[in-house]
Structure formats: structure tokens, C-alpha cells
Amino acid sequence: MKKFFSLFATLTFVFVLVGCGGGGKPSTNPIEDFGDDYKNIITADITFWHAMGQKNQAVIDEIITEFNKEYPNIHVEHANQGGYTDLRDKILTTLASGNSPTIAQTYPDHVAAYMQGRAVRELNSYVNHERYGMTKEDLSDFIEAYYKEGTTYDTKGTLYSLPFNKSTEVVFYNKTWFMKEKIEGESLYEKYNLGTIEMVDGKPVGTDLLSARLTWEDIVEISEYYINSEEYSKIDVAKRGEYAGFAADSEANLFITLTQQFGGVYTSLKAPHYVFDNPESKAAIGWFAEKVERGIFGTATKFGADYSSDAFTAQKVKVTLGSSAGANYNYPQDGSFEVGVIPYPQFKDAPAERQQVIQQGTNVTLFKRTNSTEELAGWLFMRFLTGPKAAMIWATKTGYFPIRLSVRDSDEYNDFLTGRRVVLDGEGNLVELFEPTFIAQTMKVGWEQRNLFYTSPAFPGSSDARDEVERLIQAVLYNNVSIEDAYANALRELNK
């Protein structure tokens, strides 16, 4: 699993150096006004650190190219710093030295940690600036919940970040296997109301139902069916531990969501913050652990991978839970099977307050610079990166949701979702074709869950909590640690 070192030790190091006047010293530079021709006048080199993979880095390159058409003298160097935890930890080690990036991709709990080092620039002064700011119409174009996430760090509602990439979690299933496997003559695809099958040129073709979904109880049944199937019986006994019916990707997300689906509480904005040691949470983890022990469930750790999509595309699991932004990673590159996508599972007959799905994704944050021109250039790139033009590029070329209403409601985005394109037929007539991509289908399913979205509170140490509950669930599932001991160990680490 990903390397992690003590966030507490890192923050202590940062605080000591900041107190001595290091690179994290608060910026007092005024915002310089370069006049009407500022787009051509401002010259600066800025850095943008993120955790985006290779495919999405190409999209960032495209956005930077568009940015430089308006700002030819601002050079943007963007760099992947590993996973989100790696990105956070690297930034924490650079705050005191002054080598932090100009802007970075951030989660709210990461920003809370950076703010303790007094390294983050408030954005209100830029947003409200007469020349470089944003209009009321521009601000109201952000999807409200996404924008407000950047104002939750103090009682004044000070803005410290702008929304960048937003997603949720969905279920991907092996559609080919579901259509093939039958119980009493009925395919699993039809039995669980995922869609209908018709024969086309002698081959089965499935049509997904818009209402399709699986409950947790369904997933247990399907997983039990798989490990009792003829296909599973042919797997070498020594290798069966590498297979399961179902796999979850993010262990931290799994812990938090199951805790809340069982009626428990994860963390609190007010002290004491770490409140997940409750009977409901323990019952949730116990429920999942029992399925892992039986061999029907697993997480990425079970398969020795960073992501459960690796096991899914290798056909070691039939159903997987992962980020909507990872759609392409859950579709086999060799086309060996079809993939269906449905909403996050809920428990059958669960009350409304227990139907929970994570709203995840990051924002972008500006760091204080001793060079006021660099800081201003960083703001201008942030403004463009989260503006309508870049937001449209990002939403139609990645698996992330639109962050702006104007994008979500546009004809261009609707064409992307429906796969609409106009082509010439054999007779030279213009005809409409509707062939939505798998990314588009995933985004539609993910957005259908928006009324169930939750977010966890951000506070200094909330990032630590995610790390600890991830280790907690791994300890219970794979290291024979009792639930009581695992919870006690996690709280002991967090309260050090």
C-alpha cells in the first residue's frame, strides 16, 4: 500500500520553521495592478502539483494550451506527485522551506492541515478584485455545494479553494457474465432487473434498465452464487484466495460509508473529532469482515493491488465498487467482456437517512508566495482552470462531473452524455447517431445519486482519520486483529 509517514511529525516540523520566519511566513504583498493589458504584461513561472494519472495529465496539457492563448507570458509547469496522500505529504514537507507549489489539487482535510502552517492564501481578495476577480454571475455559475466546500474552514466563510474535479462511487459489474449465468433458466442480468436480453444476429444483446441497481443483499447473493459456480470450481484451490464475487476499491471510503449506512458516525467538526468508535460502525465492519472471511468479498488489498479495478478487469471479481472518475480503468482494454454500471448499493428497506453515497473529489488551492506576481499568476490560472471553458474540457474528457451549471446544462455536454453526433449516411443525408461512451454512462449513473451525497467534515487531523481507518479495516480483514483492538489502536494513534 501507499507509503505514509507521520502527519503529526511533519506538521510539528512545519510549525517550528514557520515560527522562525521560514518560507511559510504569511504573505503581506498587495495585489499589484498591471492595467488593462495585464494578460500580456504579467510574466511568471508557476507550478501546479496534482495527483492526476497519465490520461488526465494530457487533458491538463490541453487546458494549459488554451490558457496560454490568453496569457502568453505565464508558464505553467504541472507535475504529478503520486497519489493524493503522497501529494499531501510532499506539500507538508515543503511548506517551511518555501518550495511549495504555486497551486495544488487539494482535499478539504489537506487544506485544514496546510492552514495550520499559515501557508494557504485566502481567495476573497482575488475574487473581489475589480480587475482580476469574478462577477456575481460567474460565482453563481458554480454548482453551489461544490463552491461552498471551499468556505467551510472558519466561521466567517472565508474562501480558501475553488472546485476542480468532483466524482462519487458507483458499481461496475461484468455484464457479459451476468447475461451468461442462469438460475432456473433466467439470467442473473434479468433476475436482478439489470436489463433485458434479445438475440441479434445470433448473439445476446443486453439493454440496461435506467432503474437498474443492486442492494447489498443482492451483492451477497450474487457473490455466493459465484463461489459455488462451475467457473469458480475450476480455479486452482491454491489460487482461490485471489478471487471473490465483490471487491471494494477505497478502504477508507468503505469504512466511512458503511459506518453511516449502519447509522453510525465517523467524525465530528467539533471536538472530540474522532467519534467512529460506536456500535454501529463496529457492526458495519463486522458485517463486511464476515463476507471477506467467507471468501465472497474483498478489497484492493486482498488482490495485492492499489485498485480493485485491476482484479475486476482480470476477471477475478464479478462486481466492483469504485470511483466514477475511474470508469476507463474498469473497462478491459482487450474488450474481453462488457461492463455495466449502476448506483452505489444500499441496504434493502434502509430509511432515507441511512442511504449514503460519498461526494468526493478535490479543489485547487493557492499558496502564499513572497513574489506577488507569481501569486497573482497562480490565481489567474486557478480562475481559468475552474472557468467555463476549462470546465467543459475537463467534464467531457475525463470521468469527472461538471463543476459549473453552464456546463452541465449546455447542449455540448448533453451531446456528450447522449453520445449525439451528426454524420452523413450512405445517401449523403445528415443523420443523428446516439452512441454514449462508457465514461458518459458512468457520469449519468453517478449524478443520479446526488440526493444521497455526503461529505465528511474537514478539520486539522481529519486527513489522519482517513489514514487510520484504512489501516483499521486492513488490520481486521487481513491481519487477524479483532475489531475491538483495531478500533482502540486507531484511536490511540489519532490521539497521540
Side-chain angles (χ1 to χ4, degrees):
M1 296 303 294
K2 294 173 183 148
K3 182 172 65 175
F4 174 79
F5 57 85
S6 172
L7 177 61
F8 176 81
T10 304
L11 280 173
T12 301
F13 173 72
V14 171
F15 296 157
V16 169
L17 291 186
V18 167
C20 295
K25 185 178 179 180
S27 169
T28 57
N29 293 322
I31 300 175
E32 188 173 355
D33 194 330
F34 286 86
D36 292 337
D37 195 30
Y38 70 92
K39 291 185 178 182
N40 290 309
I41 294 175
I42 296 175
T43 300
D45 293 330
I46 64 173
T47 53
F48 172 35
W49 284 7
H50 56 74
M52 292 289 93
Q54 188 173 1
K55 292 179 181 178
N56 289 340
Q57 287 178 48
V59 183
I60 295 173
D61 285 330
E62 182 178 346
I63 291 172
I64 291 173
T65 297
E66 292 297 317
F67 173 72
N68 284 141
K69 291 178 181 178
E70 295 188 31
Y71 298 88
N73 298 316
I74 298 178
H75 175 253
V76 183
E77 179 182 345
H78 72 96
N80 169 274
Q81 302 298 332
Y84 288 116
T85 301
D86 302 317
L87 171 64
R88 176 201 67 191
D89 292 345
K90 188 165 185 178
I91 290 175
L92 284 171
T93 61
T94 65
L95 295 186
S97 66
N99 294 320
S100 59
T102 316
I103 64 172
Q105 186 181 16
T106 56
Y107 276 109
D109 50 358
H110 298 178
V111 176
Y114 307 151
M115 287 175 65
Q116 285 199 301
R118 303 199 300 277
V120 179
R121 182 67 147 99
E122 56 80 20
L123 300 178
N124 296 82
S125 54
Y126 283 108
V127 167
N128 297 324
H129 194 276
E130 184 178 1
R131 193 180 304 281
Y132 310 126
M134 293 182 170
T135 65
K136 289 183 179 180
E137 291 74 19
D138 194 27
L139 291 173
S140 64
D141 187 40
F142 283 111
I143 291 176
E144 186 176 14
Y146 296 163
Y147 178 79
K148 283 189 172 180
E149 191 173 67
T151 67
T152 57
Y153 300 99
D154 60 27
T155 57
K156 299 177 182 178
T158 308
L159 183 68
Y160 282 101
S161 57
L162 290 175
F164 176 44
N165 62 316
K166 299 297 179 181
S167 62
T168 185
E169 289 187 313
V170 295
V171 167
F172 301 99
Y173 66 94
N174 186 322
K175 185 175 176 179
T176 301
W177 182 79
F178 271 74
M179 292 170 61
K180 179 187 70 174
E181 295 297 314
K182 294 183 178 181
I183 297 178
E184 297 179 353
E186 184 179 33
S187 72
L188 297 181
Y189 184 68
E190 295 167 308
K191 172 180 171 59
Y192 289 97
N193 297 313
L194 298 176
T196 58
I197 300 174
E198 61 177 323
M199 301 302 293
V200 179
D201 297 329
K203 296 181 180 180
V205 175
T207 301
D208 299 341
L209 293 173
L210 295 177
S211 60
R213 61 200 64 235
L214 294 172
T215 65
W216 278 117
E217 290 86 350
D218 292 335
I219 290 176
V220 171
E221 287 182 358
I222 292 163
S223 300
E224 289 172 337
Y225 172 85
Y226 170 62
I227 65 168
N228 290 299
S229 68
E230 183 179 353
E231 176 184 333
Y232 185 83
S233 69
K234 294 178 180 179
I235 300 170
D236 188 308
V237 173
K239 293 186 176 181
R240 287 182 185 175
E242 301 173 16
Y243 292 76
F246 168 83
D249 196 38
S250 168
E251 289 156 333
N253 286 355
L254 179 70
F255 179 95
I256 299 166
T257 304
L258 281 181
T259 290
Q260 297 182 179
Q261 287 188 344
F262 268 68
V265 183
Y266 166 55
T267 54
S268 170
L269 187 59
K270 297 181 179 180
H273 299 299
Y274 310 118
V275 293
F276 54 81
D277 186 5
N278 53 74
E280 294 83 3
S281 180
K282 291 177 179 177
I285 302 312
W287 175 84
F288 194 88
E290 187 268 337
K291 311 299 182 290
V292 173
E293 186 176 356
R294 288 167 52 195
I296 64 174
F297 278 13
T299 65
T301 299
K302 174 183 173 71
F303 308 102
D306 286 334
Y307 303 100
S308 61
S309 56
D310 297 335
F312 180 66
T313 54
Q315 300 197 58
K316 292 186 175 183
V317 296
K318 301 304 179 185
V319 183
T320 187
L321 179 64
S323 171
S324 59
N328 275 345
Y329 298 103
N330 285 281
Y331 209 100
Q333 297 301 306
D334 60 3
S336 53
F337 62 92
E338 281 191 82
V339 181
V341 56
I342 53 177
Y344 196 105
Q346 307 294 328
F347 286 96
K348 185 179 179 182
D349 301 325
E353 65 273 13
R354 293 193 183 185
Q355 296 183 36
Q356 304 266 332
V357 186
I358 193 169
Q359 174 188 296
Q360 62 184 13
T362 64
N363 307 306
V364 280
T365 299
L366 180 66
F367 289 87
K368 294 175 181 177
R369 319 308 294 170
T370 55
N371 184 320
S372 60
T373 304
E374 180 193 347
E375 188 176 285
L376 173 59
W379 159 252
L380 293 173
F381 180 65
M382 277 183 63
R383 188 179 70 172
F384 186 89
L385 182 64
T386 61
K389 181 184 290 186
M392 179 66 76
I393 294 172
W394 193 249
T396 55
K397 296 193 175 181
T398 70
Y400 292 103
F401 298 139
I403 59 171
R404 287 185 169 272
L405 296 168
S406 59
V407 174
R408 194 185 70 193
D409 298 336
S410 68
D411 290 340
E412 182 179 349
Y413 186 68
N414 186 63
D415 287 347
F416 161 73
L417 289 179
T418 61
R420 177 185 178 273
R421 57 194 178 98
V422 179
V423 299
L424 290 173
D425 64 12
E427 300 178 354
N429 300 312
L430 290 174
V431 295
E432 287 186 321
L433 293 180
F434 294 89
E435 299 173 351
T437 65
F438 185 61
I439 287 179
Q441 291 175 315
T442 302
M443 293 179 75
K444 284 195 290 186
V445 169
W447 187 247
E448 287 175 6
Q449 306 175 134
R450 61 190 179 278
N451 292 332
L452 306 181
F453 284 172
Y454 75 84
T455 57
S456 298
F459 53 86
S462 54
S463 183
D464 282 347
R466 281 186 60 86
D467 294 332
E468 284 301 328
V469 299
E470 181 178 280
R471 284 194 282 271
L472 183 163
I473 204 167
Q474 290 169 3
V476 171
L477 299 185
Y478 306 113
N479 296 325
N480 296 316
V481 178
S482 71
I483 288 179
E484 291 295 332
D485 286 347
Y487 275 73
N489 291 341
L491 287 172
R492 187 181 306 113
E493 288 300 315
L494 288 169
N495 289 322
K496 278 184 178 178

